[in-house]
Amino acid sequence: MSYYLLPFRFQRLNEKEEVLVNEVGDFLICSAGTAGMVVRREIDSTDPIYADLLANFFVSEKPIPDLIDVLATRYRTKKSFLDSFTCLHIFVMTLRCNHGCIYCQVGRRTPEDAGYDMSLENLSRSIAMMFMSPSKNLTVEFQGGEPLLVLDKIKEAVETISAANKAYSKNVTYVLCTNLSLLSEEALEFCMQYGIIISTSLDGPEYVHNANRHILGINSYESVIRGIATCRERLGNDRVSALMTTSEFSLGFPIQIVDEYLRQGFSSIFIRALNPFGLARRRDGKKSYSVDQFLHFYKTALLYILQLNLQGTHFVEEYARIVLSKVLTPFASGFTDLQSPNGVVNSVVAYNYDGNVYASDEARMLAEEGDYTFRLGHVQRNSYAEIFYGPKARDIAEFWANESLPGCSECGFQTYCGADPVRNYATQGSAAGRRPSNAFCKKNREIIRFLLELMSNSNDIERVFRTWLNPSWLREQPVCQ
Amino acid sequence: MRIELRQDNLEVRVQLQTYSLDVLHKCFYWYGEDFSVDIETENGSIGLVLLRPKAGTIDESLLGSLSERIRSDLIDFKVRDIVTQETRNVRDLLIAKAFACTDEFDTPVPVQSTDIDHDHC
C-alpha cells in the first residue's frame, strides 16, 4: 500500500541517527537515511516504523488525513501566544546604577547622573499604552539600571497600574529586576503589598560573581545573598528568582556555578550566554568567547545537572526546559526569545526612561549605542497603532518568522526554535541574518540536537526531562517571560 | 555528480534534472561560512557549484570527507525539496484551518484614546 507524505522536516543528530519533525512538533528519532526511504516509498506497511509514521502524522493513507482538524488545532495551540499579543511590558525606570558589571548591556549611568530617570509624564503615557494591549495577562517588568534607585517611581507605577486595572480587570504580574544592594524595608513592604516578584542576578560562587559584578566598597556577592535571604523570608521562596550570565571568566566554573545555586536553595538555574550588546560586545573590540566555548560550558553544566537528577535531586536547567516544552508538549513555551514569530512587539516591548518605545529590551540596548533601527516610536508623539502596527513593526515582521528565513525554512528544528531579528542585526548587520555564521542558530541547533540525542540514548534522561515539565509547572508559567 | 579540485576551487557538477537550482542554493547556503560559493549553469542542463575556501586551501587529504559531506547534504536537500513539493497543498490547508475562524485577527486596531481616566487612579 502506498502512502501520502505529510509536511515534515528532518535533521541529522549524529552519524547514525536523524530526527523527523512534523509541522506540530511531533518527532521521531530513527536511523540516518529514514527520511529518504519515506520519501522514496521504501517503507512497507509491515515495517515497524510505519505505524509510528502514521500515528505521528508523517504519512497518511489518504491525501488529506481524517484528523487534519486535530492537527490544525495543535498548530494553532503552538502559536497561541499570538492570540494575546503584547503581554510583557518592560519599563526602564532609570539608567542609573550602582554596579559596574563587566557585561553591562544597558549603557548604565552612575547614581549621581541626572536626566536618566523616567518622568512621571512618560510613565503615565507608557502605562496607558500598556493597557491598550489586547492581552488579558500583563507582566510588568521594572528594569534599569538599578530600579531601586527610583523606588518612588516604582511605587507610583504600581499604584497607577493597580488603580487603572479596576477598569480593565487584567491579570497583572509585577517583576522587579534588581541587584538587591539597595533593598530597604520600604521596598520590601511595598513588594509584599503588591505581590511583586524579585528577579536578581547571581553569577555563581563569590569569586565568579564578584569578578563579573562590581560595586564600589561593597561585596556584591554578599549583598545579593543577603538580599535573596531577606526577600525569601519576607516575600516567600516562590517570589524570588535569580539569573546568571556567563562571562568569559565563568566558563571555567560550570559545576561550581550549579553547586552555588543548589547551595542557595534554588531548584533551577537558567544558563545564559552573553548577549551581544553593550559592554559585552565592546570589550576589547571583539566577542569575549565563541559559541563553541559556551556550548562546552553549557553541556558540562547540563550533564552535571542530569547526574544530580538521576541521583535523586530535582534540579532544572531552565533553557533546556523551555526547549523541551516545545519538543514534548503541545503548548507554546511563552519564552519570547525562542518564538516564531519572534516575541518582539508580538509579546514584548520596552518603554525606555526617555519615552521611546523599543521592540525589545535588546532593541533598547542597541539604541544606547546610537542605533535606533528598532525604535518603534515615542509614547508622547505616537499613537498605539503607530507604534505597534506602524511601518517599523511591519519592517521587523518581514524577518521575525523562522518559517520564511533562509536556512531556517528547511531546518528540522524549526518548530522548536525561533527567530531573532534584533540579534541578527546586531551581530551580522542584517535582520534576516545569515545562518551558517549565526551564533543564535549555532547555539540553538546544537542544544536542541544535544537534548534529542540525550533522550535517544537514555530512557532515564527522558524521564528526568519529563519531570521538568510536570503539569503544575506548565500551569504556573506566565504567559510571557 | 562530479566533484573535482581545480586550482584551489572545488567544482561540483550535477544534473539539474536531479538537483534543481533551488536545491543547490539551499544546500550550499550552509557552506557560506567556510567557502565563497558560486552557482552557475552549463549548457542549461548542468549545475556547476564553485567552492573557494575563505581561508587557506583545500587539503587534498580532506577532499574525500568533503566530497562525502557534499553528496550527503545534496541528497538531504533533495529529499527536503520532494517533501516540500508533495506536501505544499496539505501544509497550506493545515495552516489555513489553524487560523480560520479567528475573530481576533479581524478585530480593528485599537483607536488612540486619551490618557488613563484619572477617576481610576
Side-chain angles (χ1 to χ4, degrees):
Chain A
M1 170 189 233
S2 187
Y3 48 80
Y4 301 87
L5 300 180
L6 292 178
F8 71 89
R9 285 169 289 274
F10 67 96
Q11 201 75 18
R12 304 253 172 180
L13 291 184
N14 48 53
E15 279 185 16
K16 295 183 184 161
E17 294 176 309
E18 63 190 28
V19 63
L20 279 56
V21 186
N22 71 14
E23 208 62 56
V24 294
D26 297 327
F27 69 97
L28 203 56
I29 296 176
C30 43
S31 305
T34 299
M37 290 176 64
V38 171
V39 163
R40 291 189 300 269
R41 293 350 193 244
E42 293 172 5
I43 304 290
D44 188 84
S45 61
T46 59
D47 284 328
I49 200 175
Y50 182 78
D52 287 331
L53 291 168
L54 202 60
N56 289 291
F57 300 108
F58 291 98
V59 301
S60 167
E61 291 176 347
K62 297 180 180 179
I64 307 292
D66 290 337
L67 294 179
I68 190 162
D69 287 337
V70 170
L71 262 183
T73 302
R74 290 181 58 201
Y75 190 94
R76 177 65 189 269
T77 303
K78 281 285 189 188
K79 303 293 185 183
S80 59
F81 57 89
L82 291 172
D83 291 340
S84 55
F85 203 50
T86 324
C87 50
L88 174 57
H89 298 260
I90 296 172
F91 286 72
V92 182
M93 303 303 290
T94 181
L95 279 194
R96 295 186 294 130
C97 187
N98 62 348
H99 265 58
C101 303
I102 61 171
Y103 46 66
C104 183
Q105 305 157 32
V106 303
R108 71 172 194 94
R109 301 291 189 268
T110 69
E112 296 73 34
D113 283 332
Y116 294 100
D117 297 348
M118 186 177 276
S119 68
L120 289 177
E121 291 76 24
N122 285 339
L123 178 62
S124 176
R125 279 299 303 148
S126 299
I127 291 171
M129 200 153 283
M130 177 183 75
F131 274 110
M132 291 181 206
S133 169
S135 178
K136 281 296 291 177
N137 301 294
L138 299 176
T139 300
V140 177
E141 191 170 284
F142 296 111
Q143 287 193 18
E146 170 49 51
L148 284 179
L149 280 168
V150 289
L151 179 59
D152 56 333
K153 296 257 172 78
I154 303 284
K155 293 172 75 173
E156 173 79 26
V158 172
E159 286 164 353
T160 302
I161 292 168
S162 293
N165 196 34
K166 289 178 186 150
Y168 295 95
S169 298
K170 293 186 189 270
N171 303 315
V172 181
T173 304
Y174 300 101
V175 180
L176 177 61
C177 300
T178 168
N179 60 43
L180 290 177
S181 62
L182 298 173
L183 188 65
S184 63
E185 182 61 30
E186 183 188 357
L188 277 168
E189 288 284 341
F190 191 75
C191 289
M192 258 189 349
Q193 183 183 357
Y194 286 94
I196 297 175
I197 297 169
I198 301 294
S199 176
T200 191
S201 289
L202 176 63
D203 280 2
E206 183 172 0
Y207 52 91
V208 175
H209 182 94
N210 285 348
N212 291 343
R213 302 174 65 84
H214 310 133
I215 175 171
L216 195 61
I218 294 178
N219 183 315
S220 176
Y221 171 83
E222 288 178 359
S223 170
V224 76
I225 294 301
R226 206 165 38 241
I228 289 170
T230 303
C231 288
R232 279 177 171 159
E233 186 188 337
R234 301 289 297 276
L235 307 178
N237 275 350
D238 60 341
R239 310 309 280 179
V240 184
S241 69
L243 293 173
M244 59 80 68
T245 301
T246 307
S247 69
E248 190 175 12
F249 183 72
S250 306
L251 290 176
F253 307 102
I255 291 173
Q256 293 86 342
I257 291 170
V258 172
D259 278 341
E260 178 67 21
Y261 268 70
L262 270 168
R263 188 166 40 247
Q264 298 304 330
F266 290 104
S267 58
S268 71
I269 185 172
F270 196 141
I271 297 177
R272 304 194 307 170
L274 274 176
N275 274 336
F277 303 96
L279 284 181
R281 185 159 72 155
R282 291 202 299 272
R283 280 187 73 229
D284 302 323
K286 58 186 181 216
K287 291 181 287 189
S288 59
Y289 54 77
S290 68
V291 176
D292 287 333
Q293 286 176 292
F294 173 75
L295 285 168
H296 177 76
F297 169 86
Y298 179 86
K299 289 178 184 177
T300 304
L302 179 64
L303 289 173
Y304 178 61
I305 289 169
L306 285 171
Q307 185 188 325
L308 290 170
N309 277 268
L310 291 170
Q311 290 168 351
T313 301
H314 181 77
F315 190 83
V316 178
E317 201 287 304
E318 291 290 352
Y319 196 77
R321 175 152 66 179
I322 288 164
V323 173
L324 290 166
S325 72
K326 302 179 71 143
V327 176
L328 297 174
T329 83
F331 306 114
S333 71
F335 185 63
T336 57
D337 288 1
L338 208 65
Q339 260 173 212
S340 179
N342 180 265
V344 293
V345 186
N346 289 310
S347 299
V348 57
V349 287
Y351 306 95
N352 207 13
Y353 73 96
D354 56 6
N356 284 308
V357 184
Y358 293 95
S360 66
D361 202 29
E362 287 75 20
R364 190 251 308 190
M365 295 170 190
L366 268 182
E368 291 302 325
E369 299 178 23
D371 190 329
Y372 300 97
T373 302
F374 296 96
R375 180 173 58 185
L376 300 174
H378 193 281
V379 292
Q380 302 291 354
R381 295 190 288 271
N382 299 108
S383 68
Y384 178 87
E386 286 168 350
I387 288 175
F388 286 83
Y389 298 93
K392 263 296 170 68
R394 289 201 296 273
D395 285 345
I396 298 169
E398 282 196 45
F399 307 107
W400 70 17
N402 66 3
E403 286 87 347
S404 60
L405 291 178
C408 299
S409 60
E410 305 273 321
C411 180
F413 300 147
Q414 182 198 105
T415 316
Y416 307 139
C417 197
D420 198 333
V422 178
R423 188 181 300 260
N424 291 340
Y425 175 85
T427 56
Q428 299 186 303
S430 151
R434 292 204 70 255
R435 243 52 62 205
S437 52
N438 188 288
F440 175 87
C441 174
K442 191 169 187 179
K443 183 191 89 169
N444 285 315
R445 262 192 304 135
E446 180 54 22
I447 288 176
I448 295 168
R449 187 206 67 79
F450 188 58
L451 292 173
L452 289 169
E453 189 177 59
L454 284 172
M455 285 196 287
S456 176
N457 291 339
S458 168
N459 290 335
D460 288 337
I461 288 180
E462 181 177 344
R463 265 195 291 276
V464 168
F465 284 157
R466 289 187 184 275
T467 67
W468 291 4
L469 299 170
N470 65 72
S472 61
W473 174 80
L474 286 169
R475 274 198 300 276
E476 286 162 12
Q477 289 316 291
V479 175
C480 275
Q481 48 179 326
Chain B
M1 184 187 318
R2 279 208 331 263
I3 302 177
E4 296 167 312
L5 188 60
R6 283 193 191 173
Q7 294 177 336
D8 296 333
N9 276 347
L10 196 66
E11 295 184 1
V12 182
R13 283 183 172 77
V14 300
Q15 294 283 340
L16 286 173
Q17 202 173 14
T18 309
Y19 300 105
S20 68
L21 282 176
D22 277 356
V23 169
L24 294 180
H25 278 99
K26 287 179 180 176
C27 175
F28 289 100
Y29 173 79
W30 287 99
Y31 288 69
E33 185 176 16
D34 299 321
F35 297 93
S36 288
V37 181
D38 284 310
I39 299 179
E40 302 168 358
T41 58
E42 284 182 343
N43 306 319
S45 62
I46 302 290
L48 169 62
V49 182
L50 299 167
L51 298 173
R52 190 176 310 112
K54 286 184 177 175
T57 56
I58 298 175
D59 196 320
E60 287 226 23
S61 65
L62 297 175
L63 185 58
S65 59
L66 181 56
S67 299
E68 192 50 46
R69 178 189 159 195
I70 289 171
R71 289 177 203 281
S72 178
D73 285 348
L74 274 171
I75 289 174
D76 279 357
F77 277 93
K78 171 73 177 180
V79 168
R80 292 183 178 111
D81 191 59
I82 293 172
V83 175
T84 301
Q85 301 297 335
E86 281 196 32
T87 63
R88 187 186 307 278
N89 291 341
V90 173
R91 185 171 183 274
D92 288 348
L93 179 62
L94 172 66
I95 294 171
K97 277 180 169 284
F99 294 106
C101 306
T102 53
D103 293 343
E104 50 265 48
F105 290 123
D106 296 327
T107 302
V109 167
V111 175
Q112 179 68 41
S113 64
T114 58
D115 283 349
I116 295 167
D117 185 344
H118 286 285
D119 287 343
H120 293 120
C121 294

